[in-house]
Amino acid sequence: MCKKCYVTTPIYYASGTPQLGNSYSTVACDVFARFNRLMNRDTFYLTGMDEHGLKIEEKAEAAGVKPQAYVDKVAEEAKRVWKDLDIKYDHFIRTTDEYHVKNVQKIFERLLKQGDIYLGSYSGSYCVSCETFFTKTQLNEDGTCPDCGKPTKMVSEEAYFLKLSKYADRLLEHIKNHPDFIVPETRKNEVVSFIESGLDDLCVSRTSFDWGIPVLSNPKHVVYVWIDALTNYISALGYNSDNDELFKKYWMSGVNTYHVIGKDILRFHAVYWPIMLMALDIPLNFKLIAHGWILTREGKMSKSKGNAVYPGDLYSRYGSDSVRYYLTKELPLGNDGLFNEERFIERYNNDLVNDYGNLVSRTISMVNKYFDGIVPTVYKTNQYDEELETLMASVIKNTINYFDEFKLQNAVIETWELVHRANKYIDETAPWVLSKDENKIAELADVMYHLLETIRIVAHLSSPYLVQTSTKVLKALNLELGTLVDLKYGFDYKQMKLNNLEHLFDRLDVKKELAYFEELHNSRKPKEQVEEVKKMNEISIEDFAKVELKVGVVLESKKHENADKLLVSKIQIGDEVRQIVSGIAKFYSPEEFVGKKVIVVTNLKKAVIRGVESNGMVLCAADDKDLEIVTVNNAKSGTSVR
Ligand code: MSP
């Protein structure tokens, strides 16, 4: 097993706050990355945000903001959710980041130059929601999208194409020679039959909207959002930049690279991405792990069904470990899992409160009670010890193996074998009986030591998902998190004293919690859309304070030579005179504008508008039909507006 590891999660599509379903990949990858770090592997975990495309452009428009402002807000929101969920990533890439934009442009030009991309024309059906083109035969009978069922749009335009068929045989060969390239097997078979059914060249540019990365040599085209998004995996490592050390380290030198993805985006990762890499002469050094979906009883979670659950709904009330635990335990590799509130509460109460929480708190309080909190030394054994010790060894080995294979659910179940066994061990050895007999002190010490060892081992094995709980448990044991590499029974505590145990989990009242969820869903149903738009538009007082507004007097004004909507004016702001271009010519003649005391945004980046430099912006009250300049009467030129 290689000592280096590159773990990537699909970059989250910036269409709003992440829901529980689309948080799954990020949490699962974080668990996997944490596990690999505990195996002493030099691990780089990449996550980020996918920010281009027509859907984002439309969302931003609906929210009344520019696409960049829209994605900036969503990125902030997503980062906050990941932080609250204890996601520990090494890099967060955004597809609007300049280094990524440059990389995509360079790659596109290179593929164009070497003939893998060519200019043609596209006419067909496009699903805005999935950002995907479909041929007629792929569509549902009623012409809707085969993936999401929404209506598709007919599009006809000049477009660039990537030659997929040229690489089909090589890709099939690679899949055949690398049985682990795509797991699970069922997904691999799906990919193989998709390729074998014949690959049409892929349309990789669009001209009907702007929010994307422009093709350098032909900027009226923007790069197809999936080509843009997939490239993130190497942009983040500095490929095509001045510093590609990370690329050499985490891609080229025999690394374990894992692209973890949901089953819905398999084709992009298993066909288009490897073909792009082949065309770029980059080795296919990665393994694809395709997981299933978290579903509700009514199918996929969705805002419109009113059944969307956000991670914040859960972690703000039950802590981040409860969400991480649920997601890690829920999905068998490759299959779908279920989320519903009853199940979440049940799992919390049974697994976390009853099984694990109780085991830990009983153990610590018994050591406190019977041994004044000093870890006792063992010099006697009982008939149940051997079985417990053997189980510890096998649970450690199996849990590690399951994690290695990304069988996260099995890893949790395996570790819980030990939790269950230890709870049974308490019943079998009955420490409260032993404690009443002075001659049984050695046996009692032995029991306590075995229980402490169990919780130390469980805290380590569960730490990839129970991040905060493990820290608390280990703190109570006066220990820090160690590696999993040498984890085994028999730790020498050197008679150290335990610390107080911080509070772990509270038993939940099922009725009360279900009422909480019901209220939550009801409160969201009708207003949700409106609320979301409002939220997108919200800014903090600090944000507002960034805008510098001053009073200015219009000295001169004339019509722009090449644009009949624009006036080019000289405006005096205190001691300074600035040239400002304003789109007001339909409403004000230059003569009417001159002499007005207007409000100017003075710290706006300079811009060139239709070939004329503009240094600032004049505030107006405007709607679709009317426009009026905002003016002041008495304030002097240069006065700040607050
Ligand atoms: N932006 C693309 C990925 C580009 S990667 C080069 C994307 N983003 S997404 O936000 O729509 O999805 C992110 C991840 O969440 C994907 O792996 C997707 O499969 C996963 N999920 C979305 N809904 C899900 C569930 N309900 N359950 C589990 N995972 C699902 O796709």
Side-chain angles (χ1 to χ4, degrees):
M1 174 61 74
C2 168
K3 287 293 225 181
K4 271 180 280 174
C5 186
Y6 181 36
V7 180
T8 73
T9 184
I11 46 175
Y12 172 64
Y13 197 65
S15 56
T17 307
Q19 292 181 18
L20 191 66
N22 37 41
S23 305
Y24 177 77
S25 312
T26 311
V27 172
C29 277
D30 183 66
V31 171
F32 189 59
R34 282 176 186 269
F35 159 74
N36 277 291
R37 290 189 200 109
L38 288 176
M39 294 301 287
N40 281 343
R41 294 172 194 149
D42 174 353
T43 303
F44 192 95
Y45 174 27
L46 174 71
T47 186
M49 219 169 73
D50 182 1
E51 304 188 344
H52 290 124
L54 181 56
K55 192 154 112 190
I56 304 284
E57 195 174 87
E58 288 179 349
K59 284 244 169 195
E61 204 182 320
V65 292
K66 290 263 185 308
Q68 187 63 56
Y70 179 87
V71 293
D72 286 350
K73 263 272 178 263
V74 180
E76 225 174 79
E77 184 74 358
K79 278 185 181 169
R80 193 181 54 72
V81 174
W82 300 151
K83 182 166 173 276
D84 291 344
L85 276 172
D86 291 307
I87 306 293
K88 191 174 166 198
Y89 50 79
D90 294 281
H91 186 62
F92 187 98
I93 187 170
R94 297 181 55 188
T95 53
T96 50
D97 286 337
E98 203 185 326
Y99 64 92
H100 171 75
V101 171
K102 282 194 175 144
N103 184 30
V104 171
Q105 288 179 321
K106 280 187 193 165
I107 286 176
F108 200 97
E109 290 306 312
R110 173 170 163 195
L111 297 183
L112 195 58
K113 202 163 158 207
Q114 68 191 36
D116 284 308
I117 286 181
Y118 62 91
L119 189 61
S121 90
Y122 177 83
S123 99
S125 304
Y126 186 72
C127 173
V128 174
S129 195
C130 302
E131 303 275 8
T132 308
F133 296 101
F134 293 101
T135 59
K136 205 164 172 222
T137 49
Q138 288 172 322
L139 294 175
N140 292 331
E141 270 178 22
D142 59 356
T144 53
C145 168
D147 286 349
C148 73
K150 292 188 184 151
T152 51
K153 281 186 180 178
M154 267 307 282
V155 179
S156 181
E157 59 190 42
E158 176 189 275
Y160 287 97
F161 289 83
L162 175 65
K163 282 185 187 163
L164 294 187
S165 43
K166 176 175 162 190
Y167 293 96
D169 289 344
R170 254 178 78 188
L171 182 55
L172 281 172
E173 196 61 20
H174 182 84
I175 296 173
K176 204 172 99 202
N177 295 337
H178 299 82
D180 274 354
F181 180 55
I182 304 167
V183 291
E185 184 86 10
T186 46
R187 300 287 167 221
K188 178 172 91 178
N189 298 340
E190 243 173 62
V191 171
V192 169
S193 55
F194 177 74
I195 304 171
E196 282 174 346
S197 71
L199 295 179
D200 292 332
D201 290 349
L202 177 72
C203 179
V204 291
S205 78
R206 302 294 315 275
T207 51
S208 54
F209 62 91
D210 296 329
W211 185 239
I213 299 180
V215 173
L216 261 189
S217 54
N218 192 357
K220 72 172 191 246
H221 289 258
V222 294
V223 176
Y224 174 41
V225 69
W226 269 103
I227 298 293
D228 166 355
L230 289 161
T231 306
N232 94 88
Y233 298 130
I234 51 177
S235 299
L237 300 179
Y239 178 75
N240 253 335
S241 79
D242 297 341
N243 181 357
D244 64 355
E245 284 308 306
L246 288 175
F247 179 71
K248 284 186 194 134
K249 182 173 171 193
Y250 289 110
W251 194 284
M252 296 302 286
S253 55
V255 189
N256 290 308
T257 292
Y258 302 92
H259 291 321
V260 177
I261 57 164
K263 61 183 181 183
D264 49 323
I265 54 175
L266 181 65
R267 198 187 336 138
F268 303 99
H269 284 81
V271 181
Y272 307 154
W273 179 228
I275 287 181
M276 282 168 69
L277 291 171
M278 285 193 267
L280 291 167
D281 278 328
I282 297 176
L284 304 187
N285 279 345
F286 67 86
K287 179 170 168 173
L288 266 182
I289 300 173
H291 62 72
W293 280 340
I294 295 274
L295 300 172
T296 66
R297 285 204 188 97
E298 303 92 43
K300 255 194 141 181
M301 271 179 209
S302 89
K303 282 193 212 163
S304 49
K305 284 185 199 153
N307 64 357
V309 175
Y310 295 88
D313 300 339
L314 303 174
Y315 63 64
S316 59
R317 199 167 167 92
Y318 313 107
S320 111
D321 276 2
S322 70
V323 187
R324 297 176 62 96
Y325 179 80
Y326 190 91
L327 294 180
T328 311
K329 170 93 185 280
E330 186 52 35
L331 258 62
L333 178 60
N335 291 335
D336 293 337
L338 187 70
F339 178 86
N340 68 52
E341 284 95 19
E342 291 91 334
R343 197 174 164 96
F344 177 83
I345 300 164
E346 188 186 294
R347 193 159 282 172
Y348 185 97
N349 277 342
N350 289 349
D351 302 6
L352 298 179
V353 180
N354 283 0
D355 295 344
Y356 187 35
N358 265 348
L359 173 66
V360 174
S361 60
R362 281 162 92 193
T363 302
I364 304 278
S365 67
M366 285 193 288
V367 176
N368 282 335
K369 188 167 164 195
Y370 305 138
F371 294 95
D372 282 336
I374 309 282
V375 181
T377 314
V378 182
Y379 51 92
K380 199 166 173 99
T381 54
N382 70 52
Q383 56 180 312
Y384 307 105
D385 287 351
E386 199 183 322
E387 193 193 325
L388 188 62
E389 286 167 32
T390 312
L391 188 70
M392 287 186 209
S394 70
V395 163
I396 294 171
K397 187 166 154 268
N398 295 341
T399 302
I400 290 177
N401 286 342
Y402 284 134
F403 270 130
D404 255 332
E405 294 168 18
F406 206 87
K407 293 185 174 161
L408 307 184
Q409 183 190 60
N410 299 72
V412 178
I413 293 172
E414 182 69 23
T415 303
W416 247 246
E417 287 284 313
L418 188 53
V419 174
H420 292 141
R421 186 65 194 87
N423 278 321
K424 190 166 159 227
Y425 177 88
I426 297 182
D427 295 339
E428 289 163 343
T429 55
W432 49 93
V433 176
L434 299 176
S435 74
K436 294 203 174 93
D437 184 344
E438 271 179 21
N439 299 324
K440 299 269 169 77
I441 278 295
E443 271 176 56
L444 184 63
D446 169 69
V447 171
M448 291 304 115
Y449 179 79
H450 277 82
L451 291 174
L452 288 169
E453 273 301 81
T454 305
I455 63 175
R456 181 180 70 86
I457 288 169
V458 171
H460 275 84
L461 294 176
S462 61
S463 70
Y465 46 96
L466 293 181
V467 174
Q468 298 187 9
T469 308
S470 292
T471 309
K472 289 181 193 169
V473 173
L474 290 171
K475 208 163 136 200
L477 299 184
N478 223 332
L479 297 174
E480 295 203 336
L481 184 63
T483 73
L484 298 185
V485 177
D486 45 17
L487 185 66
K488 59 174 194 284
Y489 167 79
F491 185 74
D492 183 2
Y493 292 82
K494 301 198 170 68
Q495 297 198 316
M496 74 185 174
K497 187 153 173 44
L498 299 184
N499 288 321
N500 285 338
L501 175 66
E502 280 176 50
H503 173 260
L504 297 182
F505 311 103
D506 277 329
R507 164 162 291 285
L508 302 177
D509 177 317
V510 181
K511 257 194 179 156
K512 192 170 139 210
E513 298 313 313
L514 290 179
Y516 157 74
F517 284 112
E518 196 175 338
E519 202 174 302
L520 197 74
H521 293 313
N522 288 341
S523 71
R524 282 206 184 120
K525 267 177 198 160
K527 295 185 282 159
E528 195 181 306
Q529 218 92 22
V530 184
E531 283 309 318
E532 201 200 25
V533 170
K534 265 200 203 152
K535 225 167 130 198
M536 292 307 304
N537 284 325
E538 244 171 33
I539 59 166
S540 66
I541 186 79
E542 289 79 6
D543 290 336
F544 180 70
K546 286 185 198 152
V547 183
E548 198 180 78
L549 300 169
K550 289 195 176 158
V551 174
V553 179
V554 184
L555 300 179
E556 297 169 18
S557 184
K558 58 175 188 199
K559 288 214 162 183
H560 189 294
E561 284 178 3
N562 303 318
D564 50 13
K565 287 187 185 147
L566 302 177
L567 291 188
V568 181
S569 316
K570 293 268 182 325
I571 301 187
Q572 172 105 41
I573 306 160
D575 294 331
E576 191 191 356
V577 175
R578 291 196 186 192
Q579 172 168 289
I580 296 180
V581 179
S582 319
I584 57 173
K586 240 173 87 189
F587 306 92
Y588 290 86
S589 66
E591 294 72 27
E592 281 172 315
F593 194 37
V594 170
K596 289 217 175 332
K597 265 194 186 173
V598 296
I599 295 175
V600 181
V601 183
T602 48
N603 63 340
L604 201 64
K605 252 194 197 161
K606 281 188 188 168
V608 175
I609 303 178
R610 293 295 198 102
V612 176
E613 191 180 281
S614 179
N615 185 9
M617 188 176 85
V618 174
L619 292 194
C620 306
D623 61 17
D624 291 342
K625 291 183 233 102
D626 293 311
L627 181 146
E628 191 182 341
I629 301 287
V630 180
T631 56
V632 290
N633 294 325
N634 300 324
K636 280 196 303 215
S637 155
T639 310
S640 291
V641 177
R642 283 175 288 175

